[in-house]
Amino acid sequence: MKSKSKSILKDGNISYVAPFILITTCFALWGFANDITNPMVKAFSKIFRMSVTEGALVQVAFYGGYFAMAFPAAMFIRKYSYKAGVLLGLGLYALGAFLFYPAMMTGTYFPFLIAYFILTCGLSFLETSSNPYILSMGSEETATRRLNLAQSFNPMGSLLGMYVAMNFIQNRLHPMDTAERAELTQAEFEVIRDADLQTLIAPYLLIGLVTLLMFIIIRVSKMPKNKDMSHNIDFIPTLRRIFRRKHYREGVVAQFFYVGAQIMCWTFIIQYGTHIFMNMGMGEQEAEVLSQKYNIAAMALFCVSRFICTFLLRYLNPGNLLKILAVAAIFFTAGVILLQNIWGMYCLVGVSACMSLMFPTIYGIALEGLGDDAKFGAAGLIMAILGGSVLPPVQAAIIDMGSLFGFPAVNLSFILPLVCFVVVVIYGQRTYARCKQSRVTE
């Protein structure tokens, strides 16, 4: 019981409060990037007159960057330091954001995908560096609580991203709906497209400047050095070591499916809500904006739930709490699938409360006991974010079918997140069982 009162930001006489605040700010920065991007699937589909599946390529490029750069980021961090990884991540983040301007000048979709990819290569460096960096800022016994506290600021950035997407992008796009745009001549289409793209890039250019400022602040600030100063890159031996650990292997799988579920629920809430509200007599743009308001409500609930669940971790085993939340998410997702009215939307908002604890808890459990190998372990867990690239296009393809078996395809598409939450339930239960077994053994 004594350990529960111990400061989570101290290790002996060393205080990590200032570095913790600076790195936690990075959590908010990538939260902003994640959640200004989710509504862009719908926005790009409209701007370029594309299908939902083509619009979902935004998520393929976005989360593909995480996957491609995770292990190079881990090797870079191993060779240099967590601080160097954070700085390179911020630099690539800013570069990707600034590339939105030349992408707009081309008037085509593909350069935006390149910009997203480079931006998320930066986010991959940031997450691969920042998560284990936070874990190292104090004693190992309070590491999961410390990471959950830092991750609590991630949804604050997400909320800001959603707010900016709704008020400075979606509300300012040309009100002409998708069907009307399809009937425009090429010249008329290009005029509207170019105006919409100018609206879309402004927030990205601004966040690029903010990220550059954060780069400068961290560069000149004194930050803690890696506790283990070994810089040898024993790539294959390290991989063998970490993947021998069952809780790590299973954690990578659980993270893949969790991230897939999260991105699907937050991306396609726009399509789901638009379908419901248009059936209630609203126009397409009005329905989209109202859906984004529900998305913001979902993120606010996610944020509040994160703080509550971080507190509950003082008293509940992480695996057990993870399992309870995933079971609740399954019930809410079943409501999303079966209900075809506003109650289905309420259920989809409710899913976010259940998801709040999942990413950092899976992360903390999987990295437990890895020591300096956590740098590569973190990379594997960041690569698992590939779930956010692989699964949303599958859901988008289902949505594009319109209806299945006389049922709205947008409803049935949420079977995919439901299956993902089943995987998380299994991981939570197996973690809890291992913890109980270790207590019996002791």
Side-chain angles (χ1 to χ4, degrees), residues 200-221:
L200 185 144
I201 71 161
Y204 284 94
L205 298 180
L206 182 58
I207 195 62
L209 291 172
V210 172
T211 304
L212 200 56
L213 177 62
M214 197 67 205
F215 175 96
I216 295 167
I217 292 171
I218 291 179
R219 176 66 184 84
V220 300
S221 298

Side-chain angles (χ1 to χ4, degrees), residues 337-363:
I337 295 165
L338 297 173
L339 300 172
Q340 299 185 47
N341 50 37
I342 192 64
W343 288 101
M345 194 64 169
Y346 293 156
C347 286
L348 189 47
V349 170
V351 170
S352 287
C354 305
M355 294 193 297
S356 63
L357 193 76
M358 292 183 185
F359 184 91
T361 302
I362 294 170
Y363 199 102

Side-chain angles (χ1 to χ4, degrees), residues 305 307-317 321 325 357:
S305 178
F307 283 103
I308 293 171
C309 290
T310 299
F311 174 76
L312 291 176
L313 277 174
R314 292 168 62 94
Y315 308 102
L316 291 174
N317 174 272
L321 186 54
L325 291 170
L357 193 76

Side-chain angles (χ1 to χ4, degrees), residues 16-30 82-87 90 126-127 129-137 147 150-151 153-154 214 217-218 221-224:
Y16 294 103
V17 174
F20 179 86
I21 291 170
L22 286 174
I23 299 304
T24 297
T25 304
C26 295
F27 283 68
L29 279 174
W30 77 65
Y82 286 130
K83 179 178 178 178
V86 169
L87 290 174
L90 289 169
L126 266 187
E127 293 208 38
S129 306
S130 297
N131 284 296
Y133 207 5
I134 290 292
L135 290 174
S136 73
M137 290 182 186
L147 182 58
Q151 285 274 0
F153 292 87
N154 177 265
M214 197 67 205
I217 292 171
I218 291 179
S221 298
K222 186 175 181 181
M223 303 292 287

